[in-house]
Amino acid sequence: MRLIDLRSDTVTRPTPEMREAMARAEVGDDVYGEDPTVNRLQERAAEIFQKEAALFVPSGTMGNQICVKVHTRPGQEVILEEKSHIYNFEMAAMAVISGTLPRVVRGRDGIVDWPTIEAALSPNVYYRAPTGLICLENTHNLAGGTVLPVETARQICARAHERGVPVHLDGARVFNAAVACARSVAELAEPFDSVMVCLSKGLGAPVGSLILGSRAFIEEARAVRKMLGGGMRQVGVLAAAGLIALEKMPARLVEDHEKARLLAFGLAELPGLALDPEKVQTNIVIVDVAATGWTAEEFAGRLKARGVLVGSLGPTTVRLVTHYDVSREDCAEALRRIREVLREAPRLHSARA
């Protein structure tokens, strides 16, 4: 039985072209700035995003946390959407590394607007922690891969800059967002002071992310990267795959979005599963399984026994993510196996009885 892995787009394996490029990559010591492949990756990323400079980092979490550290000082607050990756999945690193406190706000489908953020800004009084940074996410992972509207991002950044507050974009899947809204990543990144983008999700590289910003910002970021243990040596073997991910893989992301919609509309027809397929914008599908009588973990366990891997996000919420290594046929087969599993669901079984 073929295993169909829909847990995340992080499970993608490097393409044959990436493996070949890794094998013949020209390398040097990147801590000294002497790895030509890393330098080429950083230069190319800066060109694509139309930022002054870029820095290759081992992971998206490290990239986000470097940016938080550079933008803030200890004792400040960082405004984040309540379901954001930085707040939920980065192990309180902003508190540990930067000494900052999260101030969470609630968005609609993960999207926040300026009035919501403005209400959370710290007043200018000495006994309150000042607002040091605003972080937005595009696409929004836990909200189901929703796309941050360009106009919303511009308004937030403009108003924040009037207050002297920088704005960081967790753009782990910003290429997915660009494809979904038919804009360039440069346009989506333009108003932000810093951007983090992953090469190792939908773009298929085996490891690595990039942070982008001004030259001065990236120079500070380089020092923080070293402090966090992210100074790498002959890392051109990874940057070579990153270059292919950056230049060649974005064009195929539309396929992942189509596969996600195929899954979403198929799941919406099955008993016991709650989702709105019309809300699926990119490659992430969020489903509530409460009506089956199973928890998310129980549902995922039943599917695993039938060779389908999904992620559990909450007590009754599961996530399915399409990517390079799952085909349309795999998605159709996954739907067939899910339909079989649902025949055993306790609430659905009792209702039929």
Side-chain angles (χ1 to χ4, degrees), residues 262-300:
L262 185 156
L263 272 178
F265 280 94
L267 292 167
E269 294 177 354
L270 300 180
L273 304 182
L275 74 156
D276 181 355
E278 294 292 348
K279 287 188 173 182
V280 175
Q281 296 177 278
T282 54
N283 68 323
I284 299 176
V285 182
I286 304 291
V287 184
D288 192 289
V289 301
T292 65
W294 285 322
T295 66
E297 288 189 2
E298 288 169 338
F299 181 69

Side-chain angles (χ1 to χ4, degrees), residues 44 50-51 59 63 69 110 123 140 165 183 189 199 209 220 230 237 247 254 259 263 273 281 293 296 340:
R44 186 71 184 108
Q50 295 180 20
K51 295 292 187 183
S59 72
K69 177 72 173 173
H140 196 296
V165 179
R183 307 285 187 108
L199 301 171
S209 295
E220 287 189 61
V237 292
E247 295 184 323
V254 65
K259 289 180 286 190
L263 272 178
L273 304 182
Q281 296 177 278
E340 288 181 354

